[in-house]
Amino acid sequence: MIFPIVYNWVIIILRTCFTTIALSYLPVWLTLDYLSDLMYIIDMIVTVHTGYLDQGILIKDLAQLKNHYLHSKHFLRDLASLMPTDFLYFAFGIQTPMVRINRLLRLPRLSEALDRMETRTSYPNTFRISKLMIYIFVLIHWNACLYFALSSYIGFGSDNWVYPNITHVEFASMRRQYFYCFWFSAQIFTTVGDTPLPKREEEYLFMIADLLIAVLVFASIVGNVGNVISSLRDRDNVFFPNHELVKAYLRSHYISKELRQRIDNWYQHLHINKKIMRENEILQQLPLHLRTEIAVSVHLPTLSKVTIFQSCEKSLLEELVLKLTPQVFSPGEYVCRKGDVGHEMYIIKEGKLAVVADDGVTEFAVLSEGNFFGEISILNIKGNKSGNRRTANIRSIGYSDLFSLSKEDLTDVLSEFPAAKHHLEEKGRQILTKMGMLEESGDGEEREAEKVETKIKRLESNLEVLQTKLARLMVELESSNRKMQARVEQLEWEAAALDTHTGVDLGTGKSQYERKV
């Protein structure tokens, strides 16, 4: 609907004010007029067959769709925009296209189309600026047409403000007429350049109205551009860490120039290559099921390459992909060192990493995209000789993009999948056996027995402590009971003494005076 609506908004006023243009291309205009009318009719047919939501349920029944559309205000507006006002040509002449002004009633349909395009485009900020420029163009176009019509009413060339005399060859052509009026209108709305001063009351009123509209146009442009810039800044703050804040911190603490340069290079790498470090925060804006589907489509192929996760059930992998955290390592930076306790495993997304000796020079192997390491350290496999410590030095050759999966996240997920936990531990044992890093079963059983015995001794010691505390509590309870009984006896004695002092017989409840009577 964008084409027919914009066509009518631009061409109807153009043909009404510039009669030469209207009559010179009349067959073209009539063809486009009725083509746009045909598109209006098709749009009504499509709207009748378009479903709508009723309390969240999509209605598709044709009878209900017809009833819903025919009893809506949209139908009345669409019907009014297609009224056959073209028959008025016979009364006013073919040179008066203003009889088709009812075609402008479809403007809400244009707004709906643009809004839907904005929600679907991948570049919403660029689309907003383009939409704003189209609106401004249409506004300047209408103002240019009205300026030419006013000049014709006052008289071409009657003063410096109106359009020059069209009898001059220089200002007689149709292109010159439109371009001059458009330029004059643009000067007024943008307040750029000097425009001739008005001479007549009509000219003053036209300029006053234009200047008031120019203020609104300028405010709209500034506001929309400001919103776009603010949106871009907010997007950068979400996608990337705040570089300016980090720079201020480094300056205030007098960090060395070399380290500051490394940090600047790291930030530059993120921005140039569009690396998103806060992926999980961004996806928090979506519901859980959509967030899971995005994470699965992005990370599941990478996670499936890890040996211990192959042949695992898909639901487990879907839980794990939500736990992956992106990390970027700089050239020469160590990802892990030999002997460090492993708290996470890594999957290489991009870049190359070298397995180096303790001297930091000798390279044993180079890991590239799709490789992984550290997967054994996040599984507490019994009998692991390394004790969940790193067995090699891994250093980044260039900038490397990795995904990390922490031991805590894996433990949380596996707590809901006991069968998968056993499966992963079994695979880990097979890998350790091939590497010669798994202790013999006998030694493992002895150590397990020692651990059980140690636990039993600890439980016995705790039981003795608890028994001692219980005995102490029983003694304190008996002491409290004795004190309470003594206190009750004291209160009873005081109550008896008080009754005797007031002369009340405790047995009969009568005073001495009553007994004498």
Side-chain angles (χ1 to χ4, degrees), residues 448-477:
E448 186 66 24
E450 292 178 0
K451 290 182 180 179
V452 172
E453 187 177 352
T454 303
K455 290 181 180 179
I456 292 174
K457 290 181 179 179
R458 188 185 302 114
L459 290 174
E460 291 176 350
S461 176
N462 292 336
L463 181 60
E464 291 178 359
V465 173
L466 291 175
Q467 288 175 346
T468 303
K469 290 183 178 180
L470 179 61
R472 187 182 300 136
L473 288 174
M474 294 297 295
V475 172
E476 292 178 355
L477 179 61

PDB file of all heavy atoms in Angstrom, residues 448-477:
ATOM      1  N   GLU A 448      38.829 -44.855  48.271  1.00  0.00           N
ATOM      2  CA  GLU A 448      37.411 -44.649  48.543  1.00  0.00           C
ATOM      3  C   GLU A 448      37.055 -45.214  49.912  1.00  0.00           C
ATOM      4  O   GLU A 448      36.275 -44.602  50.661  1.00  0.00           O
ATOM      5  CB  GLU A 448      36.587 -45.337  47.445  1.00  0.00           C
ATOM      6  CG  GLU A 448      35.094 -45.082  47.541  1.00  0.00           C
ATOM      7  CD  GLU A 448      34.763 -43.625  47.302  1.00  0.00           C
ATOM      8  OE1 GLU A 448      35.563 -42.919  46.645  1.00  0.00           O
ATOM      9  OE2 GLU A 448      33.704 -43.184  47.794  1.00  0.00           O
ATOM     10  N   ALA A 449      37.632 -46.400  50.241  1.00  0.00           N
ATOM     11  CA  ALA A 449      37.384 -46.977  51.559  1.00  0.00           C
ATOM     12  C   ALA A 449      37.920 -46.073  52.658  1.00  0.00           C
ATOM     13  O   ALA A 449      37.292 -45.889  53.709  1.00  0.00           O
ATOM     14  CB  ALA A 449      38.019 -48.372  51.654  1.00  0.00           C
ATOM     15  N   GLU A 450      39.132 -45.520  52.421  1.00  0.00           N
ATOM     16  CA  GLU A 450      39.693 -44.589  53.405  1.00  0.00           C
ATOM     17  C   GLU A 450      38.787 -43.370  53.587  1.00  0.00           C
ATOM     18  O   GLU A 450      38.579 -42.897  54.705  1.00  0.00           O
ATOM     19  CB  GLU A 450      41.084 -44.156  52.959  1.00  0.00           C
ATOM     20  CG  GLU A 450      42.115 -45.272  53.011  1.00  0.00           C
ATOM     21  CD  GLU A 450      43.471 -44.804  52.511  1.00  0.00           C
ATOM     22  OE1 GLU A 450      43.574 -43.612  52.135  1.00  0.00           O
ATOM     23  OE2 GLU A 450      44.415 -45.615  52.490  1.00  0.00           O
ATOM     24  N   LYS A 451      38.240 -42.874  52.486  1.00  0.00           N
ATOM     25  CA  LYS A 451      37.352 -41.720  52.590  1.00  0.00           C
ATOM     26  C   LYS A 451      36.097 -42.073  53.384  1.00  0.00           C
ATOM     27  O   LYS A 451      35.629 -41.290  54.214  1.00  0.00           O
ATOM     28  CB  LYS A 451      36.961 -41.235  51.193  1.00  0.00           C
ATOM     29  CG  LYS A 451      38.109 -40.584  50.428  1.00  0.00           C
ATOM     30  CD  LYS A 451      37.628 -40.096  49.067  1.00  0.00           C
ATOM     31  CE  LYS A 451      38.770 -39.435  48.289  1.00  0.00           C
ATOM     32  NZ  LYS A 451      38.324 -38.972  46.955  1.00  0.00           N
ATOM     33  N   VAL A 452      35.550 -43.298  53.163  1.00  0.00           N
ATOM     34  CA  VAL A 452      34.358 -43.714  53.897  1.00  0.00           C
ATOM     35  C   VAL A 452      34.663 -43.843  55.379  1.00  0.00           C
ATOM     36  O   VAL A 452      33.875 -43.410  56.240  1.00  0.00           O
ATOM     37  CB  VAL A 452      33.821 -45.040  53.322  1.00  0.00           C
ATOM     38  CG1 VAL A 452      32.695 -45.586  54.200  1.00  0.00           C
ATOM     39  CG2 VAL A 452      33.320 -44.832  51.898  1.00  0.00           C
ATOM     40  N   GLU A 453      35.825 -44.432  55.719  1.00  0.00           N
ATOM     41  CA  GLU A 453      36.197 -44.582  57.118  1.00  0.00           C
ATOM     42  C   GLU A 453      36.378 -43.220  57.784  1.00  0.00           C
ATOM     43  O   GLU A 453      35.968 -43.020  58.942  1.00  0.00           O
ATOM     44  CB  GLU A 453      37.492 -45.401  57.212  1.00  0.00           C
ATOM     45  CG  GLU A 453      37.882 -45.754  58.640  1.00  0.00           C
ATOM     46  CD  GLU A 453      39.135 -46.625  58.689  1.00  0.00           C
ATOM     47  OE1 GLU A 453      39.588 -47.057  57.603  1.00  0.00           O
ATOM     48  OE2 GLU A 453      39.631 -46.874  59.790  1.00  0.00           O
ATOM     49  N   THR A 454      36.995 -42.317  57.060  1.00  0.00           N
ATOM     50  CA  THR A 454      37.168 -40.968  57.607  1.00  0.00           C
ATOM     51  C   THR A 454      35.819 -40.308  57.871  1.00  0.00           C
ATOM     52  O   THR A 454      35.608 -39.654  58.893  1.00  0.00           O
ATOM     53  CB  THR A 454      37.985 -40.102  56.628  1.00  0.00           C
ATOM     54  OG1 THR A 454      39.234 -40.740  56.374  1.00  0.00           O
ATOM     55  CG2 THR A 454      38.207 -38.719  57.202  1.00  0.00           C
ATOM     56  N   LYS A 455      34.881 -40.482  56.957  1.00  0.00           N
ATOM     57  CA  LYS A 455      33.552 -39.912  57.153  1.00  0.00           C
ATOM     58  C   LYS A 455      32.854 -40.526  58.362  1.00  0.00           C
ATOM     59  O   LYS A 455      32.182 -39.825  59.127  1.00  0.00           O
ATOM     60  CB  LYS A 455      32.700 -40.136  55.904  1.00  0.00           C
ATOM     61  CG  LYS A 455      33.138 -39.296  54.703  1.00  0.00           C
ATOM     62  CD  LYS A 455      32.236 -39.560  53.511  1.00  0.00           C
ATOM     63  CE  LYS A 455      32.677 -38.726  52.303  1.00  0.00           C
ATOM     64  NZ  LYS A 455      31.815 -38.993  51.115  1.00  0.00           N
ATOM     65  N   ILE A 456      33.041 -41.853  58.575  1.00  0.00           N
ATOM     66  CA  ILE A 456      32.411 -42.520  59.721  1.00  0.00           C
ATOM     67  C   ILE A 456      32.969 -41.965  61.028  1.00  0.00           C
ATOM     68  O   ILE A 456      32.225 -41.696  61.981  1.00  0.00           O
ATOM     69  CB  ILE A 456      32.617 -44.043  59.629  1.00  0.00           C
ATOM     70  CG1 ILE A 456      31.823 -44.598  58.433  1.00  0.00           C
ATOM     71  CG2 ILE A 456      32.182 -44.723  60.915  1.00  0.00           C
ATOM     72  CD1 ILE A 456      32.070 -46.073  58.179  1.00  0.00           C
ATOM     73  N   LYS A 457      34.302 -41.804  61.080  1.00  0.00           N
ATOM     74  CA  LYS A 457      34.921 -41.251  62.285  1.00  0.00           C
ATOM     75  C   LYS A 457      34.419 -39.833  62.555  1.00  0.00           C
ATOM     76  O   LYS A 457      34.165 -39.459  63.702  1.00  0.00           O
ATOM     77  CB  LYS A 457      36.435 -41.257  62.141  1.00  0.00           C
ATOM     78  CG  LYS A 457      37.050 -42.649  62.166  1.00  0.00           C
ATOM     79  CD  LYS A 457      38.562 -42.574  62.043  1.00  0.00           C
ATOM     80  CE  LYS A 457      39.187 -43.968  62.088  1.00  0.00           C
ATOM     81  NZ  LYS A 457      40.676 -43.909  61.943  1.00  0.00           N
ATOM     82  N   ARG A 458      34.292 -39.065  61.488  1.00  0.00           N
ATOM     83  CA  ARG A 458      33.799 -37.699  61.664  1.00  0.00           C
ATOM     84  C   ARG A 458      32.365 -37.708  62.196  1.00  0.00           C
ATOM     85  O   ARG A 458      32.007 -36.914  63.071  1.00  0.00           O
ATOM     86  CB  ARG A 458      33.867 -36.950  60.337  1.00  0.00           C
ATOM     87  CG  ARG A 458      33.553 -35.458  60.472  1.00  0.00           C
ATOM     88  CD  ARG A 458      33.507 -34.752  59.139  1.00  0.00           C
ATOM     89  NE  ARG A 458      34.770 -34.899  58.417  1.00  0.00           N
ATOM     90  CZ  ARG A 458      34.895 -35.566  57.279  1.00  0.00           C
ATOM     91  NH1 ARG A 458      33.829 -36.138  56.728  1.00  0.00           N
ATOM     92  NH2 ARG A 458      36.059 -35.656  56.681  1.00  0.00           N
ATOM     93  N   LEU A 459      31.531 -38.637  61.675  1.00  0.00           N
ATOM     94  CA  LEU A 459      30.152 -38.720  62.153  1.00  0.00           C
ATOM     95  C   LEU A 459      30.095 -39.160  63.615  1.00  0.00           C
ATOM     96  O   LEU A 459      29.275 -38.657  64.397  1.00  0.00           O
ATOM     97  CB  LEU A 459      29.364 -39.694  61.274  1.00  0.00           C
ATOM     98  CG  LEU A 459      29.072 -39.241  59.844  1.00  0.00           C
ATOM     99  CD1 LEU A 459      28.414 -40.366  59.052  1.00  0.00           C
ATOM    100  CD2 LEU A 459      28.161 -38.027  59.854  1.00  0.00           C
ATOM    101  N   GLU A 460      30.961 -40.127  64.010  1.00  0.00           N
ATOM    102  CA  GLU A 460      30.996 -40.568  65.411  1.00  0.00           C
ATOM    103  C   GLU A 460      31.400 -39.420  66.320  1.00  0.00           C
ATOM    104  O   GLU A 460      30.830 -39.241  67.415  1.00  0.00           O
ATOM    105  CB  GLU A 460      31.958 -41.741  65.571  1.00  0.00           C
ATOM    106  CG  GLU A 460      31.451 -43.025  64.906  1.00  0.00           C
ATOM    107  CD  GLU A 460      32.471 -44.151  65.008  1.00  0.00           C
ATOM    108  OE1 GLU A 460      33.631 -43.854  65.415  1.00  0.00           O
ATOM    109  OE2 GLU A 460      32.139 -45.310  64.668  1.00  0.00           O
ATOM    110  N   SER A 461      32.411 -38.645  65.885  1.00  0.00           N
ATOM    111  CA  SER A 461      32.844 -37.511  66.698  1.00  0.00           C
ATOM    112  C   SER A 461      31.721 -36.484  66.844  1.00  0.00           C
ATOM    113  O   SER A 461      31.477 -35.966  67.934  1.00  0.00           O
ATOM    114  CB  SER A 461      34.075 -36.868  66.057  1.00  0.00           C
ATOM    115  OG  SER A 461      34.463 -35.711  66.777  1.00  0.00           O
ATOM    116  N   ASN A 462      31.012 -36.235  65.761  1.00  0.00           N
ATOM    117  CA  ASN A 462      29.897 -35.283  65.825  1.00  0.00           C
ATOM    118  C   ASN A 462      28.778 -35.805  66.724  1.00  0.00           C
ATOM    119  O   ASN A 462      28.126 -35.028  67.439  1.00  0.00           O
ATOM    120  CB  ASN A 462      29.345 -35.026  64.426  1.00  0.00           C
ATOM    121  CG  ASN A 462      30.329 -34.278  63.545  1.00  0.00           C
ATOM    122  OD1 ASN A 462      31.220 -33.576  64.038  1.00  0.00           O
ATOM    123  ND2 ASN A 462      30.191 -34.426  62.231  1.00  0.00           N
ATOM    124  N   LEU A 463      28.562 -37.147  66.706  1.00  0.00           N
ATOM    125  CA  LEU A 463      27.534 -37.731  67.555  1.00  0.00           C
ATOM    126  C   LEU A 463      27.870 -37.560  69.037  1.00  0.00           C
ATOM    127  O   LEU A 463      26.991 -37.247  69.855  1.00  0.00           O
ATOM    128  CB  LEU A 463      27.369 -39.215  67.206  1.00  0.00           C
ATOM    129  CG  LEU A 463      26.304 -39.988  67.993  1.00  0.00           C
ATOM    130  CD1 LEU A 463      24.931 -39.359  67.759  1.00  0.00           C
ATOM    131  CD2 LEU A 463      26.303 -41.457  67.591  1.00  0.00           C
ATOM    132  N   GLU A 464      29.138 -37.753  69.398  1.00  0.00           N
ATOM    133  CA  GLU A 464      29.545 -37.553  70.786  1.00  0.00           C
ATOM    134  C   GLU A 464      29.325 -36.107  71.224  1.00  0.00           C
ATOM    135  O   GLU A 464      28.853 -35.846  72.334  1.00  0.00           O
ATOM    136  CB  GLU A 464      31.023 -37.937  70.944  1.00  0.00           C
ATOM    137  CG  GLU A 464      31.283 -39.436  70.793  1.00  0.00           C
ATOM    138  CD  GLU A 464      32.777 -39.748  70.902  1.00  0.00           C
ATOM    139  OE1 GLU A 464      33.558 -38.789  71.070  1.00  0.00           O
ATOM    140  OE2 GLU A 464      33.145 -40.944  70.823  1.00  0.00           O
ATOM    141  N   VAL A 465      29.645 -35.201  70.377  1.00  0.00           N
ATOM    142  CA  VAL A 465      29.446 -33.785  70.712  1.00  0.00           C
ATOM    143  C   VAL A 465      27.958 -33.489  70.914  1.00  0.00           C
ATOM    144  O   VAL A 465      27.568 -32.791  71.860  1.00  0.00           O
ATOM    145  CB  VAL A 465      30.031 -32.891  69.600  1.00  0.00           C
ATOM    146  CG1 VAL A 465      29.669 -31.422  69.852  1.00  0.00           C
ATOM    147  CG2 VAL A 465      31.544 -33.050  69.535  1.00  0.00           C
ATOM    148  N   LEU A 466      27.140 -34.056  70.044  1.00  0.00           N
ATOM    149  CA  LEU A 466      25.698 -33.833  70.172  1.00  0.00           C
ATOM    150  C   LEU A 466      25.147 -34.445  71.458  1.00  0.00           C
ATOM    151  O   LEU A 466      24.267 -33.867  72.121  1.00  0.00           O
ATOM    152  CB  LEU A 466      24.977 -34.417  68.956  1.00  0.00           C
ATOM    153  CG  LEU A 466      25.209 -33.695  67.628  1.00  0.00           C
ATOM    154  CD1 LEU A 466      24.540 -34.461  66.484  1.00  0.00           C
ATOM    155  CD2 LEU A 466      24.647 -32.284  67.686  1.00  0.00           C
ATOM    156  N   GLN A 467      25.652 -35.655  71.851  1.00  0.00           N
ATOM    157  CA  GLN A 467      25.203 -36.281  73.097  1.00  0.00           C
ATOM    158  C   GLN A 467      25.581 -35.427  74.305  1.00  0.00           C
ATOM    159  O   GLN A 467      24.796 -35.280  75.244  1.00  0.00           O
ATOM    160  CB  GLN A 467      25.809 -37.682  73.221  1.00  0.00           C
ATOM    161  CG  GLN A 467      25.205 -38.689  72.251  1.00  0.00           C
ATOM    162  CD  GLN A 467      25.898 -40.032  72.301  1.00  0.00           C
ATOM    163  OE1 GLN A 467      26.994 -40.159  72.861  1.00  0.00           O
ATOM    164  NE2 GLN A 467      25.263 -41.057  71.715  1.00  0.00           N
ATOM    165  N   THR A 468      26.787 -34.869  74.270  1.00  0.00           N
ATOM    166  CA  THR A 468      27.220 -33.993  75.373  1.00  0.00           C
ATOM    167  C   THR A 468      26.319 -32.770  75.479  1.00  0.00           C
ATOM    168  O   THR A 468      25.895 -32.361  76.566  1.00  0.00           O
ATOM    169  CB  THR A 468      28.676 -33.558  75.155  1.00  0.00           C
ATOM    170  OG1 THR A 468      29.501 -34.718  75.040  1.00  0.00           O
ATOM    171  CG2 THR A 468      29.159 -32.699  76.301  1.00  0.00           C
ATOM    172  N   LYS A 469      26.011 -32.189  74.351  1.00  0.00           N
ATOM    173  CA  LYS A 469      25.129 -31.009  74.350  1.00  0.00           C
ATOM    174  C   LYS A 469      23.734 -31.370  74.854  1.00  0.00           C
ATOM    175  O   LYS A 469      23.099 -30.598  75.584  1.00  0.00           O
ATOM    176  CB  LYS A 469      25.042 -30.429  72.940  1.00  0.00           C
ATOM    177  CG  LYS A 469      26.333 -29.764  72.472  1.00  0.00           C
ATOM    178  CD  LYS A 469      26.140 -29.156  71.084  1.00  0.00           C
ATOM    179  CE  LYS A 469      27.418 -28.442  70.642  1.00  0.00           C
ATOM    180  NZ  LYS A 469      27.263 -27.830  69.281  1.00  0.00           N
ATOM    181  N   LEU A 470      23.245 -32.588  74.492  1.00  0.00           N
ATOM    182  CA  LEU A 470      21.920 -33.015  74.945  1.00  0.00           C
ATOM    183  C   LEU A 470      21.895 -33.194  76.457  1.00  0.00           C
ATOM    184  O   LEU A 470      20.928 -32.794  77.130  1.00  0.00           O
ATOM    185  CB  LEU A 470      21.538 -34.315  74.235  1.00  0.00           C
ATOM    186  CG  LEU A 470      20.177 -34.911  74.618  1.00  0.00           C
ATOM    187  CD1 LEU A 470      19.061 -33.922  74.268  1.00  0.00           C
ATOM    188  CD2 LEU A 470      19.958 -36.237  73.898  1.00  0.00           C
ATOM    189  N   ALA A 471      22.949 -33.821  77.014  1.00  0.00           N
ATOM    190  CA  ALA A 471      23.012 -34.002  78.470  1.00  0.00           C
ATOM    191  C   ALA A 471      23.024 -32.656  79.187  1.00  0.00           C
ATOM    192  O   ALA A 471      22.358 -32.469  80.213  1.00  0.00           O
ATOM    193  CB  ALA A 471      24.264 -34.815  78.833  1.00  0.00           C
ATOM    194  N   ARG A 472      23.792 -31.706  78.647  1.00  0.00           N
ATOM    195  CA  ARG A 472      23.842 -30.385  79.250  1.00  0.00           C
ATOM    196  C   ARG A 472      22.476 -29.705  79.208  1.00  0.00           C
ATOM    197  O   ARG A 472      22.040 -29.072  80.170  1.00  0.00           O
ATOM    198  CB  ARG A 472      24.877 -29.537  78.512  1.00  0.00           C
ATOM    199  CG  ARG A 472      25.132 -28.197  79.181  1.00  0.00           C
ATOM    200  CD  ARG A 472      26.132 -27.389  78.384  1.00  0.00           C
ATOM    201  NE  ARG A 472      27.404 -28.121  78.282  1.00  0.00           N
ATOM    202  CZ  ARG A 472      28.104 -28.224  77.177  1.00  0.00           C
ATOM    203  NH1 ARG A 472      27.656 -27.668  76.069  1.00  0.00           N
ATOM    204  NH2 ARG A 472      29.246 -28.894  77.180  1.00  0.00           N
ATOM    205  N   LEU A 473      21.765 -29.882  78.112  1.00  0.00           N
ATOM    206  CA  LEU A 473      20.435 -29.287  77.998  1.00  0.00           C
ATOM    207  C   LEU A 473      19.461 -29.916  78.990  1.00  0.00           C
ATOM    208  O   LEU A 473      18.601 -29.221  79.560  1.00  0.00           O
ATOM    209  CB  LEU A 473      19.917 -29.464  76.558  1.00  0.00           C
ATOM    210  CG  LEU A 473      20.592 -28.613  75.488  1.00  0.00           C
ATOM    211  CD1 LEU A 473      20.081 -29.008  74.098  1.00  0.00           C
ATOM    212  CD2 LEU A 473      20.304 -27.127  75.737  1.00  0.00           C
ATOM    213  N   MET A 474      19.558 -31.247  79.211  1.00  0.00           N
ATOM    214  CA  MET A 474      18.675 -31.915  80.175  1.00  0.00           C
ATOM    215  C   MET A 474      18.919 -31.388  81.588  1.00  0.00           C
ATOM    216  O   MET A 474      17.973 -31.149  82.353  1.00  0.00           O
ATOM    217  CB  MET A 474      18.901 -33.433  80.128  1.00  0.00           C
ATOM    218  CG  MET A 474      18.471 -34.070  78.810  1.00  0.00           C
ATOM    219  SD  MET A 474      16.697 -33.916  78.500  1.00  0.00           S
ATOM    220  CE  MET A 474      16.051 -34.906  79.843  1.00  0.00           C
ATOM    221  N   VAL A 475      20.190 -31.202  81.963  1.00  0.00           N
ATOM    222  CA  VAL A 475      20.514 -30.656  83.286  1.00  0.00           C
ATOM    223  C   VAL A 475      19.951 -29.253  83.434  1.00  0.00           C
ATOM    224  O   VAL A 475      19.369 -28.889  84.463  1.00  0.00           O
ATOM    225  CB  VAL A 475      22.037 -30.669  83.509  1.00  0.00           C
ATOM    226  CG1 VAL A 475      22.396 -29.928  84.795  1.00  0.00           C
ATOM    227  CG2 VAL A 475      22.547 -32.104  83.579  1.00  0.00           C
ATOM    228  N   GLU A 476      20.109 -28.452  82.412  1.00  0.00           N
ATOM    229  CA  GLU A 476      19.579 -27.092  82.469  1.00  0.00           C
ATOM    230  C   GLU A 476      18.066 -27.087  82.563  1.00  0.00           C
ATOM    231  O   GLU A 476      17.471 -26.255  83.258  1.00  0.00           O
ATOM    232  CB  GLU A 476      20.024 -26.310  81.223  1.00  0.00           C
ATOM    233  CG  GLU A 476      21.520 -26.038  81.194  1.00  0.00           C
ATOM    234  CD  GLU A 476      21.937 -25.303  79.923  1.00  0.00           C
ATOM    235  OE1 GLU A 476      21.055 -25.103  79.058  1.00  0.00           O
ATOM    236  OE2 GLU A 476      23.129 -24.940  79.804  1.00  0.00           O
ATOM    237  N   LEU A 477      17.397 -28.056  81.897  1.00  0.00           N
ATOM    238  CA  LEU A 477      15.946 -28.140  81.966  1.00  0.00           C
ATOM    239  C   LEU A 477      15.480 -28.502  83.372  1.00  0.00           C
ATOM    240  O   LEU A 477      14.506 -27.924  83.887  1.00  0.00           O
ATOM    241  CB  LEU A 477      15.459 -29.178  80.955  1.00  0.00           C
ATOM    242  CG  LEU A 477      13.939 -29.406  80.904  1.00  0.00           C
ATOM    243  CD1 LEU A 477      13.227 -28.105  80.508  1.00  0.00           C
ATOM    244  CD2 LEU A 477      13.596 -30.509  79.914  1.00  0.00           C
TER     245      LEU A 477
END
